Amino acid sequence: MKQQLGVGLLCGAGVVLGAQLALAQEAFEPLPLWAYAWSTQPEPGDQPGAQPFPIEGPRPGDDPVDVNTPRQVEGSSATYTRMDIRDGHNVIDWFPGDHPPMPDIMRHGPASLMVVRGWGCGSCHLPNGKGRPENAPPAGQPVEYTIRQLQDMASGLRYSADPRKPNSPTMNLLAAAMTEEEMREAAEYFAAMPWTPWMQVIEADTIPEMHLEEGNMFITVGKEPTEPLDGRIIETPEDEFQANYLRNPRSGWIVYVPVGSLAKGEELVTTGAGKTFQCGICHGADLMGLANIPGIAGRSPSYMMRQLHDMKVGTRNGLGVELMDQVIADLTVEDMTNIVAYLASLTPPTSAPTDLQ
């Protein structure tokens, strides 16, 4: 019953956004598919698939031995089973010393969704707030910025340019279910953690063969560079088992970017190259954020590209987007690719905390 109610709520969120999504589709430029993790362009009428709320206990097709085997990761004294790891309503914590104590909103999700077992913020964005290619990296972002984004999602001002993206309506639903107190609690939690590096950026013409989990991420399946990068940016786990099966928040990412993109991106970011504004004017000289403007250095290029494109086609709105409209007005997809490649390559000028408890 709980699961049916959860799916129903998410489907309802999709219906609420349906008119907006249809309008966005009419204005579509071709999506930079690599950023949205799809192999084909969306079609008219496409809708996101419902994301069931976290299931407690075994699932159909489970291997009882596999899902009940105690697991560990290097450097952690914690032990969890696969059923523990995948329960997004009771977020596991391999490294509690890497962040402040998790409040209920981080571990269990909005109190108003307890009956349907909603997601805790840490299930997708990870307890350290670094996120993954398919979602946002909110660690180290200004409190008021994060609150504003949650408010924009709750009111339907912010959603994905790709109507198939399943976690977009999920996030709108979760934000709408949060109280003002929960929004601030989550924002203050994320802001308390400095942004630290966990990506290795590599310029390449060819990369190892990739498997695309549609709507999610690229997984490395080859060993030798045989697949043309072809103007894309590919963000892939260093260790797929650690990143996906164990949800190890210290397991990093490899980012393949086009040859020459870092130099081109640096020129656009630092000078505007006659096409845009210098990013440091608003985001700070170190690009780590300024006042209520977000940090953009060293963060997921897939996520940043989606945001630029969503603003470009009008599916991300809200306070501050008017300023960004001027920034991106004359930028091509190639320009934006170069920009996010360069930004991803920057090393944040902070060191990892030894203990935030």
Side-chain angles (χ1 to χ4, degrees), residues 29-36 41 230-233 258 261 268 275 305 308-309 312-313 328-341:
E29 299 175 8
L31 289 178
L33 289 171
W34 57 265
Y36 295 85
Q41 294 290 334
D230 196 23
R232 302 172 296 169
I233 293 177
S261 62
L268 284 160
K275 303 185 74 171
M305 186 67 171
L308 292 174
H309 194 266
K312 189 96 169 172
V313 301
I328 62 179
D330 296 325
L331 295 178
T332 65
V333 168
E334 182 181 358
D335 291 331
M336 294 190 290
T337 300
N338 293 334
I339 287 171
V340 300

Side-chain angles (χ1 to χ4, degrees), residues 201-215:
V201 176
I202 302 171
E203 285 195 339
D205 286 319
T206 56
I207 61 175
E209 181 186 353
M210 295 286 162
H211 165 69
L212 175 58
E213 293 183 351
E214 298 276 352

Side-chain angles (χ1 to χ4, degrees), residues 159-172:
Y159 54 101
S160 177
D162 191 328
R164 300 166 296 183
K165 188 164 175 52
N167 60 352
S168 181
T170 297
M171 193 62 224
N172 287 89

Side-chain angles (χ1 to χ4, degrees), residues 112-123:
S112 65
L113 295 181
M114 292 298 280
V115 67
V116 292
R117 306 187 83 251
W119 288 271
C121 301
S123 62

Side-chain angles (χ1 to χ4, degrees), residues 4 22 39 50 59 76 84 101 127 191 201 206 210 219 268 274 289 308 314 316 326:
Q4 291 175 342
S39 59
R59 301 176 184 178
S76 173
D84 296 328
V201 176
T206 56
M210 295 286 162
I219 304 298
L268 284 160
L308 292 174
R316 177 170 173 175
Q326 302 174 55

Side-chain angles (χ1 to χ4, degrees), residues 1-328:
M1 176 63 183
K2 289 181 181 179
Q3 191 58 36
Q4 291 175 342
L5 179 56
V7 172
L9 285 169
L10 287 172
C11 289
V15 171
V16 169
L17 293 175
Q20 294 171 311
L21 290 167
L23 288 173
Q25 281 179 294
E26 291 178 6
F28 268 174
E29 299 175 8
L31 289 178
L33 289 171
W34 57 265
Y36 295 85
W38 289 96
S39 59
T40 60
Q41 294 290 334
E43 297 289 339
D46 277 345
Q47 293 286 325
Q51 282 192 301
F53 279 132
I55 297 172
E56 186 177 19
R59 301 176 184 178
D62 275 347
D63 178 338
V65 174
D66 179 65
V67 297
N68 288 290
T69 298
R71 307 281 181 175
Q72 293 183 297
V73 301
E74 184 178 354
S76 173
S77 60
T79 300
Y80 299 108
T81 67
R82 176 61 179 158
M83 279 199 289
D84 296 328
I85 293 166
R86 70 189 184 189
D87 185 356
H89 183 65
N90 292 291
V91 177
I92 64 163
D93 195 357
W94 289 115
F95 302 105
D98 286 3
H99 55 80
M102 281 199 288
D104 284 347
I105 186 65
M106 294 301 303
R107 194 178 291 276
H108 305 299
S112 65
L113 295 181
M114 292 298 280
V115 67
V116 292
R117 306 187 83 251
W119 288 271
C121 301
S123 62
C124 295
H125 301 289
L126 304 180
N128 61 11
K130 288 186 177 293
R132 292 151 54 88
E134 73 272 20
N135 57 50
Q141 297 293 28
V143 170
E144 296 305 321
Y145 170 77
T146 298
I147 291 174
R148 187 169 71 240
Q149 300 318 304
L150 290 169
Q151 291 171 340
D152 288 347
M153 292 174 190
S155 63
L157 287 173
R158 178 175 169 177
Y159 54 101
S160 177
D162 191 328
R164 300 166 296 183
K165 188 164 175 52
N167 60 352
S168 181
T170 297
M171 193 62 224
N172 287 89
L173 173 69
L174 291 171
M178 294 171 72
T179 64
E180 290 184 9
E181 181 181 358
E182 287 174 329
M183 288 184 180
R184 181 162 293 277
E185 201 169 29
E188 290 178 347
Y189 174 86
F190 287 130
M193 293 176 285
W195 184 255
T196 55
W198 77 328
M199 294 183 298
Q200 178 187 4
V201 176
I202 302 171
E203 285 195 339
D205 286 319
T206 56
I207 61 175
E209 181 186 353
M210 295 286 162
H211 165 69
L212 175 58
E213 293 183 351
E214 298 276 352
N216 190 24
M217 69 176 66
F218 290 88
I219 304 298
T220 305
V221 296
K223 297 187 180 298
E224 300 299 324
T226 58
E227 180 177 317
L229 188 56
D230 196 23
R232 302 172 296 169
I233 293 177
I234 300 298
E235 206 168 342
T236 183
E238 289 180 355
D239 185 320
E240 196 266 337
F241 183 77
Q242 290 289 324
N244 287 338
Y245 191 91
L246 298 179
R247 302 287 287 192
N248 181 352
R250 288 186 180 177
S251 186
W253 301 79
I254 297 173
V255 179
Y256 296 103
V257 302
V259 171
S261 62
L262 299 184
K264 293 174 184 176
E266 181 177 15
E267 184 180 7
L268 284 160
V269 167
T270 59
T271 73
K275 303 185 74 171
T276 185
F277 300 89
Q278 299 173 32
C279 297
I281 294 173
C282 294
H283 295 277
D286 59 1
L287 302 177
M288 292 296 290
L290 195 64
N292 62 349
I293 305 296
I296 54 177
R299 295 178 184 265
S300 164
S302 303
Y303 172 78
M304 290 191 291
M305 186 67 171
R306 288 196 301 273
Q307 302 320 301
L308 292 174
H309 194 266
D310 287 358
M311 293 176 194
K312 189 96 169 172
V313 301
T315 61
R316 177 170 173 175
N317 303 282
L319 188 64
V321 175
E322 294 85 356
L323 294 175
M324 282 299 298
D325 285 343
Q326 302 174 55
V327 173
I328 62 179

